Amino acid sequence: MISLEVTEQHLNLKGKHFLTLADLSPESIKGLLAKALKMKKSFTLGEETNVLKGNILGMIFEKPSTRTRASFEAGMLQLGGHALYLNSNDLQLGRGESIADTAKVLSQYVDAIMIRTFSHQTLEELSAHASVPVINGLTNLYHPCQALADLLTIYEKKGGWAGQKLCYIGDGNNVAHSLMIASAKTGMDITVACPRGYEPDPAIIKLAEGFSKASGSKVAISNHPIEAVENADIIYTDVWTSMGQEEENEKRLREFSGFQVNEHLVQYGKSDFVFLHCLPAHRGVEVEGAVIDGPHSAIFQQAGNRLHVQKALLSEIL
């Protein structure tokens, strides 16, 4: 494995918001991942740290989640801090209090805020009015914490990013957006294969292409899954219908039918490809169970890495 030789001096994240990977330099991303690896090793060895003793993370959930809640809450506890679960229906947000007022109030009680919400505009408004750091747990545009875990998993499985080809198959959604930026920042080639009309946001494609020029990587968009997955080192998919899109489910099932990651499709990837999925997975829909449970799958290692990258992120920001 190539050594992830990035010193923590590149990070400089203390007190800063974490809204999208586009805001971080390649050195900062690699520095976070280096710290995550170090913290993962310490966790495995049973070493304890109270680096966040006395710190409180407020967690706002407009969209529920297994991995986001469990990893952030467990991460704060393992680092000696505390986490408050704040369902949007339990907050005055559900009765019309403004995002700005909520940000100003919560800033009096907690040391940082993590929000998992629908609109990216909500995240930006919250961060504009909060006097404590705000972390993007997910919006309709980006899922940067997931992308950090993906990068760490790829590093562990492949030893690095430069020269690797990642093929994402499915909806051009928030996961695809963050993967494009993550790949471009770290020098990894990425092809996003979607049905026509479901491609990533053109502005984010342009943004990722700009980063790829600096790193020497390639960003490609395709409507042909077999062509896209050819010689891929990493094959990645996500659900076809995200929360908030339930009324489109039947239509999406029809239009994505040729984009299932199955045993036939993955044969076009490299013989040692790694399969990733941000979870939850709908077995038999976007991916066959045989691929999820097969020898190439690293989805549970990937899910576990959410804990370690978020601990690194929290410890740096706080």
Side-chain angles (χ1 to χ4, degrees):
M1 179 179 287
I2 302 169
S3 176
L4 189 56
E5 295 180 354
V6 181
T7 64
E8 293 173 16
Q9 68 185 21
H10 290 294
L11 289 170
N12 191 29
L13 298 178
K14 186 175 181 179
K16 294 184 178 179
H17 300 312
F18 179 68
L19 308 185
T20 166
L21 289 178
D23 298 333
L24 269 61
S25 68
E27 291 76 21
S28 291
I29 292 172
K30 292 174 184 177
L32 267 176
L33 296 172
K35 182 155 193 169
L37 276 174
K38 183 191 298 184
M39 298 183 90
K40 183 175 182 177
K41 182 178 180 181
S42 296
F43 177 74
T44 303
L45 293 174
E47 297 173 357
E48 293 185 5
T49 176
N50 288 316
V51 67
L52 294 186
K53 183 177 181 180
N55 284 268
I56 300 172
L57 174 69
M59 306 188 301
I60 300 175
F61 283 85
E62 290 189 334
K63 299 177 76 171
S65 171
T66 299
R67 281 148 291 278
T68 298
R69 178 180 178 180
S71 56
F72 270 109
E73 192 164 337
M76 284 298 293
L77 292 171
Q78 289 174 15
L79 295 176
H82 298 274
L84 298 176
Y85 175 75
L86 304 169
N87 185 293
S88 61
N89 293 326
D90 298 330
L91 297 171
Q92 296 300 328
L93 279 171
R95 297 177 60 195
E97 185 170 26
S98 71
I99 294 291
D101 287 353
T102 300
K104 292 172 185 176
V105 170
L106 287 180
S107 295
Q108 312 301 309
Y109 307 144
V110 302
D111 300 283
I113 301 169
M114 185 282 296
I115 183 169
R116 181 178 167 92
T117 185
F118 289 91
S119 171
H120 195 74
Q121 185 177 350
T122 298
L123 170 76
E124 291 180 335
E125 186 175 355
L126 185 75
S127 64
H129 293 279
S131 57
V132 298
V134 173
I135 297 170
N136 181 358
L138 175 143
T139 69
N140 62 328
L141 282 184
Y142 295 110
H143 199 353
C145 291
Q146 179 64 55
L148 286 175
D150 300 338
L151 287 175
L152 181 59
T153 308
I154 292 167
Y155 180 83
E156 290 176 323
K157 300 298 288 186
K158 294 294 186 180
W161 307 286
Q164 299 293 316
K165 178 185 176 181
L166 167 62
C167 179
Y168 173 92
I169 302 172
D171 190 19
N173 59 14
N174 48 7
V175 172
H177 289 163
S178 287
L179 278 174
M180 289 164 58
I181 292 172
S183 298
K185 290 266 189 176
T186 56
M188 182 164 52
D189 293 341
I190 182 168
T191 299
V192 177
C194 311
R196 294 189 187 280
Y198 294 93
E199 295 89 350
D201 186 306
I204 297 176
I205 294 173
K206 185 176 181 180
L207 184 65
E209 287 174 340
F211 295 136
S212 71
K213 290 178 182 177
S215 67
S217 62
K218 298 176 183 176
V219 175
I221 309 299
S222 174
N223 301 120
H224 307 286
I226 290 177
E227 178 185 293
V229 82
E230 191 169 1
N231 293 319
D233 298 283
I234 304 103
I235 301 174
Y236 196 126
T237 193
D238 187 13
V239 296
W240 293 341
T241 305
S242 298
M243 278 182 278
Q245 299 172 333
E246 287 80 6
E247 72 282 356
E248 302 175 18
N249 188 54
E250 292 303 317
K251 179 176 181 243
R252 284 173 172 264
L253 287 175
R254 292 192 303 270
E255 297 186 349
F256 281 80
S257 61
F259 288 77
Q260 185 188 70
V261 176
N262 50 41
E263 290 185 290
H264 171 71
L265 182 63
V266 299
Q267 289 178 2
Y268 292 89
K270 288 188 177 176
S271 60
D272 61 346
F273 79 92
V274 173
F275 173 69
L276 299 179
H277 192 307
C278 56
L279 300 178
H282 296 157
R283 292 168 179 260
V285 183
E286 76 272 7
V287 58
E288 280 186 344
V291 176
I292 291 178
D293 300 320
H296 297 274
S297 177
I299 62 171
F300 297 113
Q301 178 178 341
Q302 176 189 9
N305 279 337
R306 289 289 303 275
L307 172 67
H308 307 295
V309 297
Q310 279 150 205
K311 285 168 68 175
L313 180 64
L314 289 164
S315 64
E316 282 302 316
I317 287 177
L318 294 173

